[in-house]
Amino acid sequence: TIPGSRGCFKAPFTVPAGGDFVEVRIPFNAFSDMWDPNTGDQIKTCKEDKDVCPTADALKTIKELQVMAEGHDGKVHLEIKSITASDESAVSFV
């Protein structure tokens, strides 16, 4: 799916500053496919409208994963040790 179109899901997350690896869990219901292409901010959240949530079929057919830093000025340095999607309804990365 073309970024910015329906079917391309994003979720906000934060990582605490520091040099240690930490686990970041993002529940699948935090993802939305209605977001502003200029800022990355969600226009509608999954909580507001279930139609923007990833479906079970969408989760079964993930073809690409991106980690983006957008919508804020400044430098970003992020090192990722691993990324895991689980049947506990969340994606985690360390």
Side-chain angles (χ1 to χ4, degrees):
T1 305
I2 299 169
S5 66
R6 302 297 309 268
C8 182
F9 297 91
K10 288 188 178 188
F13 68 92
T14 59
V15 179
D20 296 330
F21 283 100
V22 296
E23 181 176 11
V24 176
R25 294 182 55 82
I26 308 169
F28 289 129
N29 65 4
F31 286 80
S32 170
D33 70 350
M34 285 197 94
W35 43 270
D36 184 313
N38 295 315
T39 65
D41 293 336
Q42 292 180 348
I43 297 168
K44 280 189 182 178
T45 66
C46 187
K47 185 176 181 178
E48 296 168 330
D49 183 351
K50 297 296 181 204
D51 187 49
V52 303
C53 305
T55 63
D57 286 340
L59 293 171
K60 288 179 190 176
T61 59
I62 295 172
K63 293 183 176 73
E64 184 176 327
L65 182 127
Q66 296 180 8
V67 177
M68 304 170 85
E70 59 190 355
H72 299 280
D73 288 336
K75 293 183 179 182
V76 174
H77 178 89
L78 179 65
E79 294 181 24
I80 298 173
K81 187 189 289 187
S82 66
I83 296 177
T84 305
S86 73
D87 56 0
E88 296 175 5
S89 303
V91 63
S92 298
F93 65 91
V94 177

